[in-house]
Amino acid sequence: MVWVYRKRYKMLGLQFETETSWAEIAKDNLQQILTDHAFLEQKAASNAVSIIINYSEETELVKEMSNIAIEEMQHFKMVHLLMVKRGMVLGREQKNDYAIRLQKFFNKTKNRTDALVQRLLVAALIEARSCERFKVFSENMEDEELSKFYKNLMISEAGHYTTFLNFAREYQDREIVDKKWNALLAFEAEMMKDRGNLAKIHG
């Protein structure tokens, strides 16, 4: 399992590496980071369900999105139970400005295939960055329970990342998709240079 994760992590392609100082901020605000994480899992599940609703004719896509939706809600439950175990209460949902900015990167299109590819690429990048943040968090955590918890989750996020990216490459020419993907990666890297100061998974 660890070998599979390492292989996938090399393929993330992220162009900006999170500083370990972010992990220190997150550790000092555990309830905030766990609340943010819980709602991100819920949003990821909702996104998968939305793709199913909007592209119900794509049988293989629907199958995979069903699996992801279920898994993301399982992750939500896991984070929530961890919070309850530690005497925490799930806080209020906060806007994820990271995801909002990524979603605005591509121009709106009436072409269903283009719209799907764009959506899959954004989802892939969100999963990739989540994976990277979980890695940083797990490796800079003295709390053994949390360290193991996030190490296991980052493996799952890597799997989701590859699923979204591979589907995007199925719906359009590989060269076209990779050009869009690289442009999105470059945009995200610039955006991340001003982040890392908040106890949020993408903050």
Side-chain angles (χ1 to χ4, degrees), residues 102-127:
L102 288 184
Q103 290 162 359
K104 291 181 178 179
F105 174 74
F106 292 114
N107 294 325
K108 289 186 177 181
T109 175
K110 293 183 179 180
N111 184 291
R112 293 185 79 246
T113 301
D114 285 342
L116 175 58
V117 169
Q118 292 174 6
R119 188 167 185 174
L120 291 170
L121 291 179
V122 169
L125 185 47
I126 291 173
E127 297 286 353

Side-chain angles (χ1 to χ4, degrees), residues 32-44:
Q32 166 61 31
I33 195 73
L34 291 173
T35 289
D36 183 63
H37 179 192
F39 280 112
L40 287 182
E41 298 289 0
Q42 190 181 79
K43 290 172 184 175

Side-chain angles (χ1 to χ4, degrees), residues 143-154:
D143 186 317
E144 292 185 7
E145 181 183 34
L146 278 179
S147 178
K148 183 178 180 180
F149 182 75
Y150 276 95
K151 177 179 277 189
N152 290 333
L153 283 182
M154 70 183 183

